[in-house]
Amino acid sequence: MKILLAGDSTVANCPTYEYPMSGWGAHLAPEVYSWGAVHNFAKGGATTESFREEGLWYELLHQAVSGDVVLIQFGHNDQKRGHLGARGGYADNLRRMVGDVRAKGAAPVLCTSVERRHFSDGRLEETLGEYPAVVRELGIELGLDVVDLNSWTRALYAGLGEEGSKELFFHFGPGEHAHWFGGLLDDTHFHERGARRIAAFVAARLEVLGFKPEPDLLAVF
C-alpha cells in the first residue's frame, strides 16, 4: 500500500541547502517502509487552495488507488488567507479533499496542524486558532480518522519546557549555517530531530488506527 502526504512545509521534504530543517513527512518512511510506501507531495507555503491550484493534489490523486492512505495536514498558511477561514474556505476545501480521496477508494486521514513553539511567561501559547478544532469536528462529521498532531505536539513542547523544546526546532546562531549565515531562530519549522519524533508518532497512530496490514497479508504487497 501507499501512504500519500498532502501538506505544507511542516510536512514537506525540505531542499538540501536547508538541511537539517525538515518536515515530518521526510522521516515517515523509515517508520513504515515494511508495510507502506511513502509518497510525500507536501510543499512549503501550501494552503488547501494552492495545493490544488498548483496541480499537486491532482498528482497525488493520480497515484492513489484502493487500499492506499492519504494523510492531509494544512492550516499554517490557510490561517494567513482571509478567504480560507477555519470554518469557511479551509473546512470546505478539506471536505472536498476527503470526497476526492474516497472516490478513488483510498482512505483519507486528517491531521491537525503541528503547533508552533510560542512561549509567553513560561506558558505555551495557542497559535492556530480554530483550525485544529475544525479538523476534529470534520473527523466526526465525515466519519474519518484524525491524527491529532496539534494536541500531541503541544504536550511534547510543554513537557520539554521552553528551553528543552528548542532542540526540536531550527535554531542556529550567526556563522553556524551556510544558507542562513546570519543565524535563524525559527519556532515553526523543525530540526530533523523534531521531525523524526513527530513522524514516529504518526506511524504509531496509523498502526493503532488499523492501517498496518496484518503480518500474513504483508507478503502480498
Side-chain angles (χ1 to χ4, degrees):
M1 65 179 290
K2 295 190 295 294
I3 302 172
L4 304 114
L5 309 182
D8 53 35
S9 59
T10 62
V11 185
N13 300 326
C14 292
T16 53
Y17 59 81
E18 294 182 346
Y19 177 85
M21 183 184 285
S22 181
W24 61 259
H27 301 284
L28 186 60
E31 304 289 339
V32 302
Y33 70 89
S34 65
W35 58 272
V38 176
H39 296 253
N40 193 357
F41 292 86
K43 180 183 178 181
T47 66
T48 53
E49 181 177 68
S50 70
F51 198 78
R52 185 183 294 274
E53 290 178 341
E54 294 179 22
L56 294 167
W57 185 240
Y58 173 81
E59 291 179 26
L60 184 154
L61 288 177
H62 185 68
Q63 292 198 26
V65 298
S66 179
D68 288 344
V69 180
V70 179
L71 301 182
I72 304 168
Q73 185 217 282
F74 292 96
H76 282 81
N77 300 305
D78 292 72
Q79 188 182 42
K80 304 171 187 176
R81 309 287 189 269
H83 66 292
L84 297 177
R87 300 188 182 281
Y90 175 72
D92 292 341
N93 289 340
L94 289 180
R95 289 188 185 95
R96 185 179 175 188
M97 286 178 161
V98 169
D100 290 343
V101 173
R102 285 177 164 167
K104 295 286 291 189
V109 177
L110 294 181
C111 301
T112 58
S113 296
V114 291
E115 187 57 87
R116 301 179 180 96
R117 179 190 166 276
H118 284 194
F119 281 85
S120 178
D121 296 324
R123 294 175 60 86
L124 181 66
E125 296 181 330
E126 296 183 10
T127 69
L128 287 151
E130 291 190 296
Y131 286 82
V134 165
V135 171
R136 299 181 193 110
E137 292 166 9
L138 286 174
I140 296 171
E141 173 191 326
L142 302 175
L144 74 164
D145 293 310
V146 172
V147 175
D148 197 346
L149 289 178
N150 188 262
S151 292
W152 187 79
T153 52
R154 287 183 58 78
L156 175 63
Y157 309 161
L160 291 171
E162 185 169 2
E163 289 300 314
S165 58
K166 288 180 180 178
E167 70 176 17
L168 305 176
F169 289 86
F170 206 71
H171 284 211
F172 283 90
E176 294 180 351
H177 196 289
H179 184 62
W180 288 283
F181 195 73
L184 184 67
L185 300 179
D186 188 333
D187 287 315
T188 297
H189 299 103
F190 299 106
H191 188 286
E192 66 174 8
R193 289 188 296 262
R196 289 182 191 279
R197 292 189 68 165
I198 297 167
F201 173 75
V202 172
R205 289 303 301 160
L206 290 177
E207 290 193 36
V208 169
L209 294 171
F211 289 106
K212 180 179 179 180
E214 295 297 326
D216 60 336
L217 295 178
L218 290 175
V220 303
F221 288 94

